[in-house]
């Protein structure tokens, strides 16, 4: 199975900050990397697919980069509503696997 | 707007069975791959199973293979997950998700809680 490792596991940042979350795959997954946002008690929501494509309706402050084994999710100017847990997911190979999540707190 | 509604969760004893359903109110159910993803209390997301649009291809996580069965009825726009031989570690919120995994799961249901306990 492809292991997905996110860092950091948690972080705290202020409104307006630029925040970057990293996701590393245990083997190359090309660009088959998706990012999700999940708020407490809610279902996940797709933010970015195929590493860098912004899902329709997602604010442009979210962006994704990377290919192969190393990927990043960046929030360019943090907003209060961005407080959530973020997950990466590889879709290169079955079984589909997720990172362990990054909890983002607003200071 | 795409709307997925799960049902069928509940409390079941170890070794018991449940059948989860996910009804899609959109007109695009039959042309989409569907999946089940679960989340144990306080834990991360775990992919459980997927099925192709026509139902001819089914895929499972090793942790559920041989115990869970995914199926779909395109005439009813409904996805199913039959859970057998349930274990305490199967306790989780089960979400249905729509779309080919390669392009991300674009729609999710609200989740249904399965609790396995004596």
């Amino acid at each position: 199975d492809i292991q997905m490792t996110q860092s950091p596991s948690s972080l705290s940042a202020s409104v307006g900050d630029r925040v970057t979350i990293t996701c590393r795959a245990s083997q190359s997954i090309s660009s088959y990397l998706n990012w999700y946002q999940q708020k407490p008690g809610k279902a996940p929501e797709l933010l970015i697919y195929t590493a860098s494509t912004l899902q329709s309706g997602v604010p442009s402050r979210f962006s994704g980069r990377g290919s192969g084994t190393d990927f990043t999710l960046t929030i360019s100017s943090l907003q209060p509503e961005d407080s959530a847990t973020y997950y990466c997911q590889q879709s290169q190979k079955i079984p589909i696997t997720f990172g362990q999540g990054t909890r983002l707190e607003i200071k | 707007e795409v709307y997925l509604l799960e049902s069928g969760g509940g409390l079941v004893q170890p070794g018991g069975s449940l059948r989860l359903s996910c009804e899609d109110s959109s007109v695009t159910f039959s042309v989409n791959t569907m999946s089940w993803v679960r989340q144990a209390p306080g834990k991360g997301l775990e992919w459980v199973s997927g099925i192709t649009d026509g139902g001819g291809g089914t895929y499972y996580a090793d942790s559920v293979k041989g115990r869970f069965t995914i199926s779909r009825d395109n005439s009813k726009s409904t996805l199913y997950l039959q859970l057998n031989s349930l274990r305490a570690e199967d306790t989780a919120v089960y979400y249905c998700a729509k779309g080919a995994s390669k392009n991300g799961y674009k729609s999710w249901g609200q989740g249904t809680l399965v609790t396995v306990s004596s």
Side-chain angles (χ1 to χ4, degrees):
Chain A
D1 297 2
I2 298 176
Q3 306 303 316
M4 306 300 294
T5 304
Q6 289 181 231
S7 61
S9 295
S10 64
L11 76 154
S12 181
S14 301
V15 172
D17 282 354
R18 182 182 182 88
V19 169
T20 296
I21 298 169
T22 297
C23 180
R24 175 165 289 177
S26 60
Q27 62 185 261
S28 177
I29 57 171
S30 185
S31 296
Y32 293 113
L33 191 283
N34 307 315
W35 289 99
Y36 298 86
Q37 177 193 67
Q38 186 180 33
K39 296 183 178 180
K42 301 292 187 182
E45 294 185 1
L46 180 65
L47 296 174
I48 303 280
Y49 60 97
T50 55
S52 60
T53 305
L54 194 67
Q55 170 64 3
S56 176
V58 173
S60 59
R61 63 181 180 274
F62 291 92
S63 64
R65 296 189 64 178
S67 66
T69 60
D70 294 314
F71 301 86
T72 57
L73 172 69
T74 297
I75 308 173
S76 60
S77 179
L78 196 64
Q79 299 300 304
E81 60 267 30
D82 299 335
S83 176
T85 300
Y86 293 82
Y87 294 93
C88 62
Q89 173 209 38
Q90 69 79 20
S91 55
Q92 164 78 348
K93 187 182 287 189
I94 298 291
I96 306 300
T97 47
F98 291 87
Q100 81 279 14
T102 295
R103 179 174 288 184
L104 174 56
E105 172 193 275
I106 310 298
K107 287 180 184 174
Chain B
E1 183 173 335
V2 176
Y3 185 59
L4 300 173
L5 182 63
E6 298 104 335
S7 61
L11 175 63
V12 61
Q13 292 188 338
S17 298
L18 277 178
R19 188 198 200 198
L20 308 183
S21 299
C22 170
E23 183 175 358
D24 184 354
S25 61
S26 79
V27 296
T28 61
F29 178 80
S30 63
V31 298
N32 274 277
T33 295
M34 298 293 295
S35 300
W36 289 97
V37 176
R38 69 184 180 184
Q39 186 169 38
K43 302 297 184 183
L45 302 171
E46 180 189 13
W47 176 82
V48 173
S49 183
I51 186 168
T52 54
D53 54 358
T58 57
Y59 309 91
Y60 299 93
D62 285 347
S63 58
V64 306
K65 200 172 294 183
R67 300 187 299 122
F68 292 7
T69 302
I70 191 171
S71 62
R72 64 190 298 162
D73 184 339
N74 286 345
S75 68
K76 296 182 178 179
S77 295
T78 301
L79 174 73
Y80 302 100
L81 187 67
Q82 178 68 39
L83 291 65
N84 295 333
S85 302
L86 282 161
R87 306 166 180 167
E89 55 264 36
D90 296 318
T91 294
V93 173
Y94 285 73
Y95 296 101
C96 61
K98 185 174 184 177
S101 57
K102 289 190 183 301
N103 291 323
Y105 298 137
K106 300 187 188 300
S107 300
W108 296 66
Q110 85 290 349
T112 187
L113 176 62
V114 172
T115 303
V116 184
S117 175
S118 55

